[in-house]
Amino acid sequence: MMEKVVIIRYAEIHLKGKNRGYFERIFIINLERALKGLRHELHRTSGRYLVEKFDTARYEEVMERVGRVFGVHSCSEGLLVPNDMDSIFEAAKCVAPASGTFKVETHRADKKFPLTSMEISAEIGGRLLAHNHALKVDVHDPAAHVYVDIRENGTALVFGSYRPGAGGMPVGTAGTGLLLLSGGIDSPVAGYMMAKRGMTVEPLHFHSYPYTNEGAKEKVRELAALLAKYTLVDRLRTVNVAHIQEEIHKHCAADLNVTLLRRFMVRIAERIAGKVGAQCLITGESLGQVASQTMEGLTSSNSVATLPILRPLIGFDKEEIIERARRIGSYETSVLPYEDCCTVFLPEHPAIRPKLSYIEEEEAKLDVEALIEEAMGTLEYIRL
Ligand code: ATP
Ligand code: MG
């Protein structure tokens, strides 16, 4: 009897002492959500998890989905066998390379097992050598490994490699944040980073219909869906801000267009955060990247906020952000051409260091509360 399984090891959860039970419960829920729709069983076993009874033809998909779950340190394709030496050897034959150097490494959770770890490694190694003369043992620098894990329940796991997981903390263990998700490169990366630290990340997008079209919205939906593979949330919120942009354009100094719009975005986002139970806002801003992301620009946004605004990319170069976007898989979608709401009415010379008093003076020309109310009336939910 030999069963193909996926072995999951978790990352930082073990650090959490008394809270460990809580972290693990959420971790399991997240693994189950990631595996939804695939036949499987998930079992916890001496410090790790096993996915069993899945369709082995979909093995890669299981590995991929599990590997994306935050809190997963590594996964392995493994074979589950009874813990007698013959069965372990049968599995070791499947895992061992066809030729070249190798080393057997044994871990023994079951301390009552008749052989020590060293003895198990030596015997399995010896049998493999006798079985295949193209193999050679190298205990110092082997080209391949055969790992044997003797478990406490009468079974053993045999596997050949570790695939790194997403790392981080299980989503749902570090509060909730509302992500201001544009169609650009930065904000999906910002959302990913906070989710990786265990935060539940709920996306919100501002559009400027009819100035921006359905394509722009579809693009953001796609980005949100992509992000949801990691954040495990199931909807995107959208709010129309076209009327706000029109009013700003009509009444306020042109060089403050973006700065003023940002303040509206923050205020509207806070209202929605209240509905969602989010404790902070998250943006993809990076210091000095554009005119609105100077200290003066950030101060202007902060001054209308009561919640903290988390900016995980604040110290990143664009190249670093792009590299992360590529790894996450959002880059290709982010660079598709589209009309962002901020490019509508874009001033030729945006203010780079606007004084707060100047901003407030210009903003006083608007009925801020009424504009926010009108925007809230356009709130829509899109299922991902
Ligand atoms: P990004 O690549 O994320 O679009 P950017 O470099 O283009 O960022 P800005 O357009 O100035 O920078 O936006 C700064 C941040 O403001 C974004 O990272 C995002 O968090 C938020 N933001 C901008 N536009 C929108 C929008 N239309 N809807 C929601 N959030 C937005
Ligand atoms: Mg943008």
Side-chain angles (χ1 to χ4, degrees):
M1 188 211 75
M2 184 153 69
E3 190 196 340
K4 198 163 178 174
V5 297
V6 171
I7 307 163
I8 301 165
R9 300 167 201 85
Y10 43 65
E12 287 185 40
I13 302 178
H14 61 280
L15 299 174
K16 293 294 164 189
K18 270 192 251 160
N19 286 331
R20 185 172 153 162
Y22 166 73
F23 279 83
E24 288 198 9
R25 266 197 306 285
I26 293 180
F27 186 51
I28 292 176
I29 291 170
N30 293 350
L31 285 172
E32 289 290 6
R33 278 158 82 188
L35 290 169
K36 207 166 147 191
L38 288 179
R39 179 170 58 85
H40 71 279
E41 282 179 23
L42 180 67
H43 296 293
R44 183 166 189 280
T45 140
S46 40
R48 56 198 59 175
Y49 295 87
L50 283 191
V51 189
E52 298 176 43
K53 309 264 187 312
F54 54 86
D55 178 358
T56 52
R58 302 181 76 172
Y59 156 74
E60 258 309 317
E61 193 179 346
V62 174
M63 285 288 271
E64 232 177 75
R65 290 200 196 186
V66 162
R68 274 198 299 260
V69 175
F70 292 123
V72 172
H73 179 258
S74 68
C75 335
S76 297
E77 167 181 14
L79 294 168
L80 181 65
V81 292
N83 69 5
D84 60 78
M85 293 304 281
D86 289 342
S87 303
I88 292 170
F89 173 56
E90 284 310 308
K93 277 197 290 190
C94 302
V95 166
S99 63
T101 60
F102 78 103
K103 174 188 182 181
V104 181
E105 249 183 65
T106 304
H107 171 80
R108 207 177 48 140
D110 178 7
K111 300 296 176 198
K112 293 198 231 53
F113 195 76
L115 303 178
T116 66
S117 298
M118 294 287 269
E119 288 166 343
I120 298 165
S121 296
E123 167 148 1
I124 297 296
R127 287 207 209 178
L128 284 170
L129 286 175
H131 169 76
N132 179 355
H133 298 297
L135 287 178
K136 208 171 152 235
V137 170
D138 181 344
V139 292
H140 299 298
D141 188 23
H145 275 95
V146 175
Y147 296 101
V148 177
D149 208 337
I150 308 284
R151 305 201 300 159
E152 281 159 323
N153 62 357
T155 62
L157 288 167
V158 182
F159 57 96
S161 62
Y162 291 81
R163 192 189 289 194
M169 305 290 287
V171 164
T173 60
T176 301
L178 190 74
L179 171 67
L180 279 68
L181 181 67
S182 69
I185 297 166
D186 308 332
S187 42
V189 177
Y192 176 94
M193 286 176 70
M194 294 322 300
K196 185 173 180 189
R197 294 312 302 160
M199 188 168 272
T200 299
V201 173
E202 296 283 355
L204 163 67
H205 176 67
F206 295 103
H207 64 89
S208 316
Y209 185 80
Y211 299 104
T212 56
N213 57 23
E214 276 302 307
K217 217 167 162 184
E218 179 50 34
K219 175 183 171 179
V220 173
R221 199 199 69 81
E222 209 172 289
L223 280 174
L226 206 143
L227 201 56
K229 287 183 180 178
Y230 303 96
T231 61
L232 308 170
V233 300
D234 57 9
R235 54 187 188 168
L236 163 71
R237 292 161 191 78
T238 65
V239 167
N240 190 335
V241 290
H243 62 288
I244 297 178
Q245 292 177 280
E246 284 169 352
E247 286 299 295
I248 294 173
H249 183 65
K250 231 185 273 168
H251 301 291
C252 308
D255 65 344
L256 287 183
N257 271 4
V258 178
T259 309
L260 292 173
L261 179 60
R262 284 276 177 278
R263 286 160 65 93
F264 277 95
M265 284 185 177
V266 168
R267 291 184 178 107
I268 295 164
E270 281 213 338
R271 303 245 171 138
I272 292 169
K275 288 173 180 268
V276 178
Q279 301 142 299
C280 63
L281 308 183
I282 305 165
T283 76
E285 289 162 312
S286 148
L287 188 62
Q289 191 188 81
V290 290
S292 56
Q293 295 175 27
T294 55
M295 267 327 291
E296 287 77 3
L298 301 180
T299 303
S300 155
S301 299
N302 278 22
S303 71
V304 294
T306 58
L307 295 177
I309 304 178
L310 302 187
R311 300 178 171 101
L313 304 179
I314 197 70
F316 281 50
D317 294 344
K318 195 73 186 186
E319 279 75 33
E320 293 171 304
I321 300 170
I322 288 174
E323 191 207 309
R324 277 169 196 251
R326 283 191 201 279
R327 258 190 281 147
I328 297 165
S330 58
Y331 182 76
E332 301 302 321
T333 308
S334 287
V335 294
L336 292 174
Y338 74 112
E339 278 279 302
D340 181 45
C341 73
C342 303
T343 56
V344 184
F345 306 113
L346 193 69
E348 236 171 277
H349 299 290
I352 294 175
R353 303 222 159 77
K355 281 209 175 71
L356 198 54
S357 55
Y358 172 46
I359 296 167
E360 286 170 347
E361 233 169 76
E362 288 301 307
E363 194 178 69
K365 299 174 180 168
L366 305 171
D367 187 345
V368 172
E369 190 50 39
L371 289 171
I372 292 173
E373 277 303 316
E374 191 178 341
M376 288 303 290
T378 69
L379 174 61
E380 277 179 57
Y381 298 88
I382 301 176
R383 286 209 83 78
L384 299 172

